[in-house]
Amino acid sequence: LVVEDSASNTAKAATALTKLLSVDKVDAVMATEFGFVIAPLLPRIEREKILFVSSGLPHRHYCVQAPNYFFSISSQLDQTDKA
């Protein structure tokens, strides 16, 4: 288990991802959030084929940026769905 902290900063998140992949040679990444910090990483996640799991709930708009390698363990309701 390798831990990195983005400090809710997009530049630090990108640096952390680079370290995890280049130095630590991880096979997968798990994030405890999803938002403006993670969203910019999605094209790279898809391009480099990195399994990325988030406990946060992204908007569907973001999910299409890495459809094969980004997964959320949260559920999302459509606006037409009833809670």
Side-chain angles (χ1 to χ4, degrees), residues 4-60:
E4 290 292 331
D5 184 4
S6 70
S8 296
N9 178 293
T10 55
K12 288 183 180 181
T15 300
L17 182 61
T18 296
K19 179 187 175 289
L20 288 168
L21 300 176
S22 304
V23 177
D24 301 318
K25 308 272 189 219
V26 299
D27 294 319
V29 175
M30 179 154 190
T32 58
E33 63 174 301
F34 184 89
F36 70 94
V37 176
I38 303 298
L41 304 177
L42 293 178
R44 181 175 180 194
I45 289 165
E46 185 71 15
R47 184 176 62 252
E48 296 192 30
K49 301 178 180 180
I50 304 158
L51 175 62
F52 195 100
V53 179
S54 172
S55 62
L57 183 61
H59 187 276
R60 284 193 179 112

